[in-house]
Amino acid sequence: MAFREPIDLIVRGGTVVNADWQGAADVLVRDGRVLALVEPGTYRSADTRGVTEIDASGRLVLPGGVDPHCHVGFTSGEFTSLDDYRQATTAAVFGGTTTIVDFAIPRPGQQPADVVAAQRAKADQGLCNSALHACVVEWDDTVPEQLRSVVADGVVTVKMFTTYRGETMADEKTILNVMTTLRDLGGMVCVHCEADHIISDVQERGEAAGAISACHHADTRPELAETASVAEILAIAESVAAPVYFVHQSTPEAVDLVARARSRGVRAFTEAVAHHLVLDESAYAGAHPERFVCCPPLRSAPTVAGLRDRVRMGQVATIGSDHCCYDTAQKESVSHDVRAMPNGLPGVETRMPVLFSELVVKGGLPLGRFVEALCANPARLNGLYPRKGVIAPGSDADFAVWDPSLTYEMRSAALHMATDYTPYEGLTVTGRPVTVVVGGRPVTDAGRLLDPTPRGRHIRSGALDRALVC
Ligand code: URP
Ligand code: ZN
Ligand code: ZN
């Protein structure tokens, strides 16, 4: 029997791709949510006035991307990245991402819960929804109550750092305490792992040898600093039976440590980020090494190949952007000393198209696995599933209608991020989002912004318990 209920929008004729299913289906939307997936051409209604139609013939219909790692207007040292929620989410939507997870990172003297409240208040400026990771730097008696209140308000993940001493670095006992507290609250710690004592020693030696500028960046943060820190944090998580998520893992060794721990029953998860899967340290020998300064740094070509293998083997749960919108002038101003540089690369807009091209088109990654790592798992591990990350009845009507065969060159001039460069300048890319729908409304189409109305909201993450069963 034909489906006849009234709808607002229909996406006709495409191939719907979820993590665990793909096939030809028309997608029916009402009130911002998916109402049903139906056999192509079978929807009948007495009244189709006011129904928006999107012709997706020959195209893929992907769930809107969920970027689990996106810094918006992020202050580190003396630098603040250059975007606000409107700019970051506009760029996200142009790149097929319809949910971002930003960070509320305290500056010295600030309280984690206050920073969460301040950052959450910005979400309404966005063109799409957003969620947040909190951050704890120092332990004191107020932290348990602050964590209880942020989790109750729907922020269930807390980023912690084992590097950036004097800024955001937390000591191991603080990490253990936060892990234990969050374990009991249904949340999870997300850790940036680079052993700071190893890095600072290597950097001191680099300075003495006159090798501390942007072109030396990869050497100043060695792989073994990441390996050592991941091993330590895994041991803490295992000891207290807490879940743990490793952000931006950049080496196969680090991913393998997590996979081995998972096989012992530790609830441990790997996030990779786009630039570690696509670029390598040869970028630091180019004309603009400063543009590629991020932590962990870009690694050697064999390391990149090993990390890609881990994606193919299913050991990488999520792939984020680690978007940080600094521009060339900010990066150049201190490029003689990497210790003073603003770290991070712009990428919220390029994450999905570049990875579709590199992993699916060139690398043969199954489409369902791409959707799993860029949409479904980021939603799951941030307590947003099945509202986000899947096209299914009841989920938010966030889609990227995707042309899988269009080939073009990535150019910064055609992007919307609040900076003057992309690390992928000139890269030949195949596949791009054509029409992007947010909450049932087409927001971009064929490179045009159709609807600049900021309808984004902060969304509360649910408890993670069920998502964290390995
Ligand atoms: O280089 C990076 N990753 N900058 C952003 C902050 C962080 O460590 O995630
Ligand atoms: Zn980090
Ligand atoms: Zn980051």
Coordinates of all heavy atoms in Angstrom, one line a residue, residues 69-71 74 103 105 159 161 164 192 247-248 271 273 295 321-324 343-344, ligand 3:
H69 N 35.0 16.5 16.5 CA 36.1 17.2 17.0 C 36.3 18.5 16.2 O 36.9 18.5 15.2 CB 37.4 16.3 16.9 CG 38.6 16.8 17.6 ND1 39.5 15.9 18.2 CD2 39.1 18.0 17.9 CE1 40.5 16.6 18.8 NE2 40.2 17.9 18.6
C70 N 35.7 19.6 16.8 CA 35.7 20.8 16.0 C 35.8 22.0 17.0 O 35.0 22.2 17.8 CB 34.3 20.9 15.3 SG 34.1 22.3 14.3
H71 N 36.9 22.7 16.9 CA 37.2 23.9 17.8 C 36.6 25.1 17.1 O 37.0 25.5 16.0 CB 38.7 24.0 18.0 CG 39.3 22.9 18.7 ND1 39.4 22.7 20.0 CD2 39.9 21.8 18.1 CE1 40.1 21.6 20.3 NE2 40.4 21.0 19.2
F74 N 38.5 29.1 19.2 CA 39.3 28.5 20.3 C 40.5 29.3 20.7 O 41.3 29.7 19.8 CB 39.7 27.1 19.7 CG 40.7 26.4 20.6 CD1 40.5 26.2 22.0 CD2 41.8 25.8 20.1 CE1 41.4 25.5 22.8 CE2 42.7 25.1 20.8 CZ 42.5 24.9 22.2
F103 N 34.3 22.3 21.8 CA 34.9 22.1 23.1 C 34.7 23.3 24.0 O 34.8 24.5 23.5 CB 36.4 21.9 22.9 CG 36.8 20.6 22.2 CD1 36.7 20.6 20.8 CD2 37.2 19.5 22.9 CE1 37.0 19.4 20.1 CE2 37.5 18.3 22.2 CZ 37.4 18.3 20.8
I105 N 36.8 24.8 26.6 CA 38.1 24.6 27.3 C 38.4 25.8 28.1 O 38.5 26.9 27.7 CB 39.2 24.4 26.2 CG1 38.8 23.1 25.4 CG2 40.6 24.3 26.8 CD1 39.8 22.6 24.4
K159 N 37.1 16.5 27.6 CA 38.5 16.4 27.0 C 39.5 16.7 28.1 O 39.4 17.6 28.9 CB 38.7 17.3 25.8 CG 40.0 17.1 25.1 CD 40.2 17.7 23.8 CE 41.6 17.4 23.2 NZ 42.0 18.1 22.0
F161 N 44.0 16.7 28.5 CA 45.3 16.7 27.8 C 46.4 16.2 28.6 O 46.5 16.6 29.8 CB 45.6 18.2 27.4 CG 44.6 18.9 26.5 CD1 43.4 19.4 27.0 CD2 44.9 19.0 25.2 CE1 42.5 20.0 26.2 CE2 44.0 19.7 24.3 CZ 42.8 20.2 24.8
Y164 N 50.7 20.4 26.6 CA 50.4 21.8 26.8 C 50.5 22.2 28.3 O 49.5 22.7 28.9 CB 49.0 22.2 26.2 CG 48.7 21.8 24.8 CD1 47.4 21.4 24.4 CD2 49.7 21.9 23.8 CE1 47.1 21.1 23.1 CE2 49.4 21.5 22.5 CZ 48.1 21.1 22.1 OH 47.8 20.8 20.9
H192 N 43.7 13.8 24.8 CA 44.8 14.1 23.8 C 46.1 13.6 24.4 O 46.5 14.1 25.5 CB 44.8 15.6 23.7 CG 46.0 16.1 22.9 ND1 45.9 17.3 22.0 CD2 47.3 15.7 22.7 CE1 47.1 17.5 21.4 NE2 47.9 16.6 21.9
V247 N 41.4 11.0 21.3 CA 41.3 11.9 20.2 C 42.5 11.9 19.3 O 43.6 11.6 19.7 CB 41.0 13.4 20.7 CG1 39.7 13.5 21.4 CG2 42.1 13.9 21.5
H248 N 42.3 12.3 18.0 CA 43.3 12.4 17.0 C 44.5 11.5 17.2 O 45.6 11.9 17.2 CB 43.7 13.9 16.8 CG 44.1 14.7 18.1 ND1 44.9 14.2 19.0 CD2 43.7 15.9 18.5 CE1 45.1 15.1 19.9 NE2 44.3 16.2 19.6
E271 N 39.8 7.8 17.8 CA 39.4 8.8 16.8 C 40.6 9.1 16.0 O 41.7 9.3 16.5 CB 38.9 10.0 17.5 CG 38.6 11.2 16.6 CD 38.6 12.5 17.4 OE1 37.4 12.9 17.8 OE2 39.6 13.2 17.5
V273 N 41.8 11.8 12.7 CA 41.3 13.0 12.1 C 41.9 13.1 10.6 O 42.9 12.4 10.3 CB 41.7 14.3 12.9 CG1 41.0 14.3 14.2 CG2 43.2 14.4 13.1
C295 N 48.9 19.4 16.4 CA 49.4 18.4 17.4 C 48.4 17.3 17.6 O 47.2 17.6 17.8 CB 49.6 19.1 18.8 SG 50.8 20.4 18.7
S321 N 37.6 16.2 12.3 CA 38.4 17.2 11.6 C 39.5 17.8 12.4 O 40.5 18.2 11.9 CB 37.5 18.3 11.0 OG 37.0 19.1 12.0
D322 N 39.2 17.9 13.7 CA 40.1 18.7 14.6 C 40.2 20.1 14.0 O 41.3 20.8 14.0 CB 41.5 18.1 14.8 CG 42.2 18.6 16.0 OD1 41.6 19.5 16.7 OD2 43.3 18.2 16.3
H323 N 39.1 20.6 13.5 CA 39.0 22.0 12.9 C 39.5 23.1 13.8 O 39.0 23.2 15.0 CB 37.6 22.2 12.5 CG 37.3 23.6 12.0 ND1 37.6 24.1 10.7 CD2 36.7 24.6 12.6 CE1 37.2 25.3 10.6 NE2 36.7 25.7 11.8
C324 N 40.5 23.9 13.4 CA 41.0 25.0 14.1 C 41.2 26.1 13.1 O 42.2 26.0 12.3 CB 42.3 24.7 14.8 SG 42.1 24.3 16.5
N343 N 48.3 25.9 17.3 CA 48.2 24.5 16.7 C 46.9 24.3 16.1 O 45.9 24.6 16.7 CB 48.5 23.5 17.7 CG 49.9 23.6 18.3 OD1 50.9 23.6 17.6 ND2 49.9 23.7 19.6
G344 N 46.8 23.6 15.0 CA 45.6 23.1 14.4 C 45.4 23.6 13.0 O 45.9 24.6 12.6
Ligands
ZN3 ZN 41.5 19.4 18.9

